């Protein structure tokens, strides 16, 4: 196979996105975001297909070279390009090593500018990294205190998949405590979602946590946290 240059790979991706614009998606993409986003208007399943096909062009590329290509996509500011960067970094999950955390942290801090890019990167790439290197949970607790709203949301949404598997309960509750009174709606929803995910394996513990803090916990977070609980527990939690 002919080895493509970085510029050629990026051009291939952008051409594929340009040729896959869906007019309905283009007309409605902005509706899901309060902040202004840049987008082509390509459906997510199509973006995922382009991710897979373009990744085949990088068979002989090293992890640093692929991360460099991801960086190029992130820096464009286009949401679909950020999704492809997230997919490529997740495809490398078998090769993660501790030093990669700095790369992921920089991407969140520097490039993430909406909830969808935040969640796509953190649910998969960063969450998988944390499962492999749980000593980095302390870094998430630092994220939870950051002035950047996306770093704070990242602290919670990174743990969604591990939470569903019953992992890291004490760390999840610690992060929820740090974010408890956060003023940002998307951060509140993020940690509420994390608690909901944790309730799948630890319903009683999450219920007890919510009941103990329900007078101060924002209603948005509380509603998210109890969403998967039985009716009677939900009713008790929602009582003022």
């Amino acid at each position: 196979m002919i080895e493509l240059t970085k510029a050629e790979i990026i051009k291939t991706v952008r051409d594929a996105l340009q040729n896959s614009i869906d007019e309905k998606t283009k007309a409605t993409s902005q509706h899901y975001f309060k902040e202004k986003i840049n987008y082509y208007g390509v459906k997510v399943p199509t973006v995922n297909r382009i991710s897979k096909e373009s990744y085949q062009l990088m068979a002989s590329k090293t992890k640093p070279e692929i991360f460099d290509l991801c960086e190029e996509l992130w820096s464009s500011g286009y949401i679909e390009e950020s999704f492809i960067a997230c997919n490529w970094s997740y495809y490398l999950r078998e090769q993660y090593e501790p030093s990669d955390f700095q790369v992921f942290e920089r991407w969140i801090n520097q490039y993430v500018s909406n909830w969808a890019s935040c969640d796509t990167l953190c649910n998969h790439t960063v969450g998988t990294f944390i499962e492999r290197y749980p000593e980095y949970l302390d870094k998430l607790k630092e994220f939870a205190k950051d002035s950047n709203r996306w770093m704070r949301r990242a602290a919670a949404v990174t743990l969604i998949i591990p939470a569903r598997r019953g992992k890291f309960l004490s760390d999840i509750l610690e992060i929820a405590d740090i974010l408890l009174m956060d003023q940002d709606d998307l951060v509140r929803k993020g940690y509420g979602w994390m608690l909901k995910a944790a309730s799948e394996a630890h319903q009683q513990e999450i219920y007890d946590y919510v009941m103990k803090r329900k007078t101060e916990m924002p209603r948005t977070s509380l509603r998210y946290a109890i969403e998967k609980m039985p009716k009677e527990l939900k009713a008790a939690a929602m009582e003022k």
Side-chain angles (χ1 to χ4, degrees):
M1 186 187 273
I2 298 166
E3 179 73 11
L4 296 184
T5 65
K6 174 181 169 181
E8 287 168 335
I9 291 169
I10 296 294
K11 183 179 185 315
T12 301
V13 167
R14 290 179 176 155
D15 287 350
L17 288 169
Q18 201 70 52
N19 294 331
S20 304
I21 291 170
D22 173 75
E23 289 309 322
K24 189 178 174 197
T25 304
K26 191 174 181 179
T28 57
S29 289
Q30 183 60 59
H31 298 177
Y32 302 99
F33 302 90
K34 288 184 180 165
E35 52 285 320
K36 176 86 178 71
I37 61 160
N38 292 324
Y39 55 91
Y40 291 85
V42 180
K43 290 179 175 175
V44 172
T46 307
V47 174
N48 291 339
R49 178 179 54 73
I50 293 168
S51 300
K52 285 198 180 83
E53 288 171 358
S54 53
Y55 192 71
Q56 305 307 315
L57 305 172
M58 297 191 277
S60 61
K61 297 267 187 247
T62 63
K63 184 175 67 174
E65 287 173 321
I66 295 171
F67 279 175
D68 188 42
L69 283 154
C70 292
E71 188 106 20
E72 185 76 23
L73 294 176
W74 273 113
S75 65
S76 76
Y78 277 84
I79 195 165
E80 292 95 343
E81 293 192 28
S82 80
F83 292 163
I84 292 172
C86 292
N87 288 339
W88 286 356
S89 61
Y90 182 61
Y91 297 157
L92 289 162
R93 61 193 176 276
E94 297 301 329
Q95 297 179 45
Y96 290 166
E97 54 197 321
S99 58
D100 295 333
F101 191 82
Q102 291 174 304
V103 176
F104 305 149
E105 181 176 5
R106 190 181 72 254
W107 290 348
I108 300 165
N109 208 11
Q110 209 169 316
Y111 300 123
V112 167
S113 58
N114 61 77
W115 62 263
S117 298
C118 182
D119 298 359
T120 306
L121 177 63
C122 294
N123 285 175
H124 305 293
T125 294
V126 190
T128 301
F129 176 92
I130 292 289
E131 287 197 69
R132 182 166 294 185
Y133 300 108
E135 61 271 28
Y136 280 81
L137 282 158
D138 285 344
K139 294 292 287 181
L140 294 186
K141 290 163 197 172
E142 288 173 28
F143 283 16
K145 298 170 185 166
D146 201 279
S147 59
N148 179 343
R149 69 194 296 205
W150 304 117
M151 293 286 275
R152 299 200 307 281
R153 183 172 170 101
V157 299
T158 290
L159 294 177
I160 299 297
I161 293 171
R164 285 180 186 146
R165 296 185 178 130
K167 294 185 173 182
F168 309 140
L169 180 64
S170 61
D171 301 285
I172 284 165
L173 297 180
E174 204 178 318
I175 288 168
D177 270 345
I178 297 168
L179 297 174
L180 191 70
M181 304 299 288
D182 203 283
Q183 295 304 300
D184 191 292
D185 187 53
L186 285 170
V187 177
R188 290 175 173 185
K189 287 175 178 171
Y191 91 75
W193 182 23
M194 172 183 70
L195 291 172
K196 172 171 70 175
S199 78
E200 291 182 37
H202 297 286
Q203 182 179 283
Q204 190 61 48
E205 291 91 334
I206 299 301
Y207 177 72
D208 293 345
Y209 177 88
V210 166
M211 290 304 281
K212 202 181 286 185
R213 290 161 180 76
K214 71 173 195 169
T215 54
E216 48 189 341
M217 186 184 273
R219 299 298 272 183
T220 304
S221 309
L222 182 115
R223 275 195 295 271
Y224 267 76
I226 62 173
E227 201 177 309
K228 295 207 164 199
M229 292 188 187
K231 271 188 187 156
E232 63 278 10
L233 296 188
K234 276 188 190 174
M238 290 301 285
E239 265 173 26
K240 294 223 171 161

